[in-house]
Amino acid sequence: MDLVSTMVKISGVVGVLLLVVAYMVLAERRISAWAQDRMGPNRVGPWGLIQPIADGLKFLLKEDFTPNYVKQPFFWIAPAITIVPALMVFAVLPFGSFLGSQKMVIADLNIGVLYTFGIVSLGVYGIVLAGYAANSKYPFLGGIRSSAQIISYEIAMGMSVVPIFMLIGEPGLLKSLGGEGGAWAKFLAGTEGLNFSRVVAYQAESLFNWLIFKQPLAFLIFLVAAFAETNRLPFDLPEAETELVAGYHTEYSSMKFALFFLAEYANMIAASGLLVTLFLGGWSLPFLGLDDPATSVLGGVLHILIFMAKVFAVMFLFIWVRWTLPRFRYDQLMQLGWKRFVPLALANIVITAFVLWTVAGGQA
Amino acid sequence: MKVQRKTLSLAEKLYLPAIFKGLKITLRHMFKKKATMQYPEEHWVVPEGYRGAPYLVRDQHGRTKCVSCQLCEFVCPPKAIKITPPGPQVNPNVGNVEKEPKEFEIDMLRCIFCGYCQEVCPEEAIFLMQDYSLTGESRKEMVYDKEKLLALGGVHNDPIEKWKRKEMEAREQGVG
């Protein structure tokens, strides 16, 4: 029974995810057009809503060309390695409270955050491998840049979330949420420190508890690092068109290229999901009784919709920023990551620790 | 040479205010009226004096104004115009007062819309009109013949009607 419900959840999440990815591409094109006083694709179906299907068909029907100088096995496996981690991040994100008796998270891991960072780091392998396998200079440079960029920003990103779990780790979290026997007790059953469910539980109480307000600096660092990790403008150096043609996927065509393309958007959704869960209250809203885990099916569906709405809002921000800011220079990117964000994140940890210590009365 | 660089204020160094300013600008543009025209449905209104495709015109009496003088053919820089004059035989309807061309062809693929034909025409028989998107499925289709040019050109009101007077004079003298 457990296996069946997990399978259902996986297929549901992956299905929705791929659909959202497809429509993200459309959203990106429409929003970029609006930002430039254009209309964007609006011919295929009403408001261009069938456009993703047309795009997908195009990708499928194009010639899948493999240059004869590439390193074949790696060339073939790289797109898969890129997209799988992007989809796997969602396994630990609680995208809703309860639907019936099912907790709306695929794998309720107690090492949630560690898992996420581990998986996100895996994504870089696909890109590096693609750059290496293509055996040509632009993909090679793109792959190298990407690995340097992702590794650098992972440090800042990882350290930026440490204060969050210092806050979450406070004892008595469950007590302030209604104690044993309540809906929260059921939701948090068996969870420990690093579980994402606890992050949501912490933020559900009030709007002020949203960690974007409690940890604005952490939010800023995480947001910028998320841009860098997903290779989005202003940090899209791995595929900087003006200098690297298309970066690591220059030699790819057809569906293999589409996989990189989709992975980029899947990564974006994953990053948005993480942002929402960590800083924006996850599936909860601090009013209308939506702050507690749902007891009815309607409430459960509402929570899932709230989560999706928040994710869409963050993704709009991603797109909005992309069409506003110019690309950073490579040294600026590295400087920002190592010389600004890493010290800031460290300072944030120390300050948070100090404040928590003071609040606790200065005891060890 | 040493480049003078302005020392940045703290706000400028932080870069964030600049980002917000930029975001504000793009957001404003998202709700602005779009510059795009929905082309096949909407058409551009051409300004007066626009030089579109050259067409032949008739006067208000339905008479073809062109008299095959071939000046436009001569002046046409890309040699897009080809006129076949009627030769010596007389049109029984109008007598010998005019020489309507037997065939008049404009190759719209060669035409550069310079307007020399209109400028040089002594009869005000050819005009550059407002059509700017000419389409066809073959090169042959893009060579417009006399019927097509006249149909597209329509009627041009001629205030002088000099050929009507000439025709009357010719009738009075019993010629034609």
Side-chain angles (χ1 to χ4, degrees):
Chain A
M1 193 53 215
D2 220 27
L3 186 70
V4 175
S5 66
T6 308
M7 290 308 258
V8 170
K9 277 190 259 182
I10 290 175
S11 42
V13 167
V14 170
V16 170
L17 201 60
L18 291 180
L19 196 75
V20 173
V21 164
Y23 276 91
M24 270 308 289
V25 180
L26 176 68
E28 171 111 53
R29 293 176 65 186
R30 288 306 297 263
I31 292 171
S32 68
W34 292 337
Q36 297 167 349
D37 293 341
R38 294 183 288 115
M39 300 233 181
N42 61 353
R43 293 283 150 158
V44 194
W47 302 292
L49 283 178
I50 318 287
Q51 185 74 37
I53 295 169
D55 286 350
L57 259 175
K58 189 197 81 176
F59 276 130
L60 279 172
L61 295 176
K62 281 217 164 177
E63 186 193 357
D64 193 359
F65 185 76
T66 310
N68 61 8
Y69 50 78
V70 298
K71 299 184 171 67
Q72 285 263 1
F74 305 128
F75 188 78
W76 276 78
I77 207 169
I81 293 186
T82 314
I83 196 159
V84 168
L87 297 176
M88 273 167 71
V89 172
F90 271 85
V92 291
L93 288 183
F95 52 88
S97 50
F98 285 110
L99 207 56
S101 63
Q102 285 295 326
K103 191 173 170 184
M104 283 295 111
V105 52
I106 294 172
D108 202 11
L109 288 184
N110 278 337
I111 52 155
V113 201
L114 297 181
Y115 166 88
T116 317
F117 281 104
I119 290 295
V120 167
S121 326
L122 282 180
V124 72
Y125 281 100
I127 292 174
V128 170
L129 214 53
Y132 167 70
N135 213 352
S136 116
K137 60 192 166 203
Y138 294 128
F140 179 68
L141 284 171
I144 288 186
R145 279 187 181 189
S146 168
S147 52
Q149 176 177 328
I150 292 187
I151 290 166
S152 309
Y153 275 84
E154 211 137 74
I155 295 167
M157 198 182 202
M159 287 204 292
S160 74
V161 298
V162 171
I164 290 174
F165 290 93
M166 286 160 79
L167 288 176
I168 307 304
E170 280 178 289
L173 172 64
L174 190 56
K175 213 179 283 171
S176 64
L177 288 167
E180 299 291 332
W184 277 112
K186 195 174 150 209
F187 189 71
L188 293 179
T191 62
E192 274 170 48
L194 296 179
N195 196 304
F196 279 117
S197 306
R198 294 181 82 89
V199 184
V200 178
Y202 180 84
Q203 295 177 86
E205 262 181 296
S206 73
L207 189 65
F208 179 70
N209 263 12
W210 284 16
L211 288 155
I212 182 177
F213 301 117
K214 285 211 163 175
Q215 289 286 345
L217 187 61
F219 174 74
L220 185 72
I221 296 171
F222 191 90
L223 182 71
V224 177
F227 275 99
E229 295 270 311
T230 50
N231 298 329
R232 291 283 296 182
L233 262 164
F235 306 119
D236 70 334
L237 292 143
E239 38 190 314
E241 276 161 25
T242 36
E243 32 200 289
L244 294 182
V245 190
Y248 56 88
H249 54 61
T250 303
E251 308 290 350
Y252 283 88
S253 57
S254 182
M255 210 54 208
K256 289 217 273 310
F257 165 73
L259 278 181
F260 282 117
F261 197 61
L262 294 181
E264 191 193 318
Y265 283 90
N267 266 323
M268 236 169 92
I269 300 171
S272 308
L274 269 173
L275 261 168
V276 167
T277 312
L278 286 172
F279 294 98
L280 301 174
W283 46 258
S284 70
L285 267 189
F287 42 80
L288 294 174
L290 290 167
D291 50 344
D292 287 329
T295 42
S296 63
V297 174
L298 178 71
V301 172
L302 263 178
H303 277 147
I304 294 174
L305 291 180
I306 289 169
F307 182 77
M308 283 172 76
K310 284 180 179 175
V311 169
F312 289 149
V314 176
M315 284 194 300
F316 174 74
L317 179 73
F318 269 78
I319 297 172
W320 184 14
V321 166
R322 170 169 180 186
W323 296 98
T324 302
L325 297 180
R327 184 181 305 126
F328 273 55
R329 221 190 315 135
Y330 191 66
D331 64 310
Q332 291 172 330
L333 171 91
M334 282 300 163
Q335 222 166 48
L336 187 69
W338 287 103
K339 290 194 186 162
R340 307 279 190 278
F341 281 163
V342 171
L344 267 179
L346 273 172
N348 198 23
I349 294 173
V350 173
I351 292 167
T352 310
F354 184 75
V355 168
L356 282 177
W357 179 66
T358 320
V359 168
Q363 283 124 19
Chain B
M1 197 185 103
K2 203 167 175 200
V3 180
Q4 291 292 318
R5 295 204 191 278
K6 193 185 141 214
T7 40
L8 299 176
S9 67
L10 181 68
E12 282 167 328
K13 272 188 195 156
L14 266 179
Y15 195 47
L16 284 173
I19 290 177
F20 290 128
K21 222 183 260 176
L23 288 173
K24 222 171 73 191
I25 289 170
T26 35
L27 190 69
R28 205 170 56 223
H29 274 271
M30 281 180 211
F31 299 104
K32 257 193 179 169
K33 197 181 167 294
K34 305 302 168 210
T36 315
M37 180 181 289
Q38 296 291 300
Y39 172 62
E41 291 92 28
E42 284 175 45
H43 273 273
W44 177 50
V45 181
V46 297
E48 212 173 311
Y50 179 81
R51 297 202 305 248
Y55 294 142
L56 293 177
V57 294
R58 295 177 196 273
D59 70 4
Q60 57 266 54
H61 304 296
R63 203 180 54 82
T64 308
K65 292 185 81 178
C66 176
V67 294
S68 6
C69 70
Q70 293 177 288
L71 275 173
C72 51
E73 185 176 9
F74 181 75
V75 80
C76 183
K79 299 198 188 307
I81 300 177
K82 191 176 139 200
I83 300 171
T84 315
Q89 75 263 49
V90 174
N91 184 343
N93 294 327
V94 288
N96 210 12
V97 293
E98 58 185 313
K99 292 205 289 182
E100 187 185 332
K102 197 150 80 188
E103 190 46 89
F104 192 113
E105 287 175 342
I106 302 180
D107 187 345
M108 292 299 181
L109 292 172
R110 303 204 74 171
C111 178
I112 56 169
F113 310 101
C114 62
Y116 282 10
C117 47
Q118 175 181 346
E119 211 173 304
V120 82
C121 185
E123 298 293 328
E124 297 192 331
I126 188 164
F127 287 94
L128 267 67
M129 303 213 172
Q130 304 195 320
D131 289 8
Y132 52 86
S133 74
L134 309 174
T135 49
E137 287 175 351
S138 64
R139 284 172 180 277
K140 223 175 140 194
E141 210 178 301
M142 291 309 287
V143 180
Y144 286 24
D145 62 6
K146 194 173 86 176
E147 276 69 53
K148 198 165 177 186
L149 289 168
L150 283 167
L152 287 165
V155 174
H156 180 253
N157 272 323
D158 181 359
I160 299 169
E161 303 183 50
K162 90 174 167 189
W163 285 103
K164 201 182 169 195
R165 218 172 55 241
K166 294 257 174 186
E167 199 185 325
M168 267 154 53
E169 280 172 17
R171 287 249 167 77
E172 279 163 20
Q173 290 163 19
V175 189

